[in-house]
Amino acid sequence: ERYGGGRSLLSQLRGSAKGDRRSGTSPRTSYDVGETPWNSRRAVVKSHYVSMARGGRLAAARHLAYLERDGVERDGSPGRLYGADESFDREAFGEPLDGEKRQFRFIVSPEEANGVDLQAFARDLVAQMEKDLGRRLVWAAVNHHNTEHPHVHLVVRGVDADGEELRIPRRYIQQDM
């Protein structure tokens, strides 16, 4: 996907991590989710983060391979990684990012998931997360239908789309997400 200046997202992230930051950018630590909308959907969210130090990069690559393994889609086909839209670049997503200290992993199982378009659900969820956190996230997801409770595996990179380190407040993950 192309963002400002015609540069690829990966190129911009690498440039940002090397000091090509917008002036006036400061770390973002607060968020406001406001009131819970009337049409909210309950979901079970499991989360953890993985350090990218030492063997973390290899573990991240193995995790993506695990998510895309055979037999997880409704028809038994392999999982397919996707992002915000059809221009998602799977290869670029798997590349190391300068300044990435951690990677966030979520398993999200919405209530009555069998009747839910999980891809649309994941995209809506991340769009809301971006709004709440005030930053564009670098993320990918895979739907799994190989259990009694269909769910989405969501991987959020440890830097945002501007190359800034990403920290997600504990309260946001525990309650507000």
Side-chain angles (χ1 to χ4, degrees):
E1 181 170 342
R2 300 282 176 193
Y3 292 93
R7 296 180 356 187
S8 72
L9 173 60
L10 187 58
S11 171
Q12 288 185 26
L13 289 172
R14 285 183 175 148
S16 293
K18 293 177 183 172
D20 181 24
R21 291 182 167 76
R22 300 173 304 174
S23 61
T25 301
S26 62
R28 299 170 198 103
T29 57
S30 64
Y31 66 92
D32 180 14
V33 298
E35 293 294 318
T36 303
W38 67 270
N39 62 345
S40 292
R41 177 178 293 277
R42 293 187 323 167
V44 172
V45 179
K46 295 181 182 180
S47 67
H48 70 283
Y49 70 90
V50 178
S51 170
M52 297 306 283
R54 292 189 286 250
R57 298 207 187 282
L58 179 57
R62 287 182 177 158
H63 183 246
L64 292 180
Y66 167 78
L67 295 179
E68 295 178 301
R69 73 188 187 279
D70 282 341
V72 299
E73 287 289 345
R74 283 186 200 273
D75 62 2
S77 64
R80 188 174 145 259
L81 208 62
Y82 60 88
D85 57 34
E86 299 310 315
S87 66
F88 174 75
D89 183 344
R90 163 60 176 95
E91 295 306 314
F93 184 80
E95 290 291 319
L97 297 175
D98 291 336
E100 185 177 32
K101 296 178 183 176
R102 73 195 57 77
Q103 187 178 88
F104 298 90
R105 298 178 184 171
F106 301 96
I107 301 171
V108 185
S109 183
E111 189 173 50
E112 301 170 11
N114 284 319
V116 173
D117 176 342
L118 290 178
Q119 189 169 352
F121 173 81
R123 287 175 170 163
D124 288 347
L125 173 63
V126 175
Q128 186 63 51
M129 291 173 67
E130 290 175 328
K131 180 179 173 188
D132 294 342
L133 298 171
R135 56 204 315 183
R136 290 185 339 203
L137 303 177
V138 180
W139 66 277
V142 175
N143 301 333
H144 279 194
H145 296 273
N146 59 333
T147 66
E148 183 179 340
H149 301 285
H151 54 279
V152 175
H153 287 265
L154 174 63
V155 178
V156 178
R157 301 297 298 263
V159 294
D160 67 13
D162 292 327
E164 298 287 333
E165 181 179 5
L166 177 64
R167 291 183 176 269
I168 302 175
R170 177 178 295 205
R171 179 175 171 248
Y172 184 80
I173 294 171
Q174 290 176 336
Q175 291 178 207
D176 300 328
M177 191 172 164

